[in-house]
Amino acid sequence: MRGYAANAQIMADVAAVIEQARREGRDVATALRIARVTLAYVSGPNPDPEQAKTLESIDQHLKTISS
């Protein structure tokens, strides 16, 4: 399991990706997709429970936006 500092860095990296997408004028759905891919990448094939919960939350938000 990753330590607190590593998890904090990962979340900061995901936030930076979302912010960069926003600055580039991308819509919310695109920014969320970018964040999801980033989080899935850093989580690896076996995300910890908190990462899995976050991925599910992003998926739900994307479903809501696309409806």
Side-chain angles (χ1 to χ4, degrees):
M1 181 176 229
R2 294 185 176 120
Y4 177 78
N7 284 334
Q9 182 60 51
I10 288 166
M11 294 313 294
D13 292 345
V14 170
V17 168
I18 292 171
E19 179 60 23
Q20 179 66 31
R22 187 194 63 75
R23 280 195 305 265
E24 292 173 357
R26 299 178 189 266
D27 62 7
V28 174
T30 301
L32 278 175
R33 285 185 191 97
I34 292 168
R36 194 209 185 284
V37 169
T38 304
L39 182 58
Y41 175 77
V42 297
S43 298
N46 299 310
D48 67 34
E50 191 63 32
Q51 290 166 331
K53 182 179 173 184
T54 302
L55 288 167
E56 289 173 18
S57 176
I58 291 173
D59 289 342
Q60 287 300 318
H61 287 299
L62 285 169
K63 285 179 187 177
T64 300
I65 291 170
S66 67
S67 297

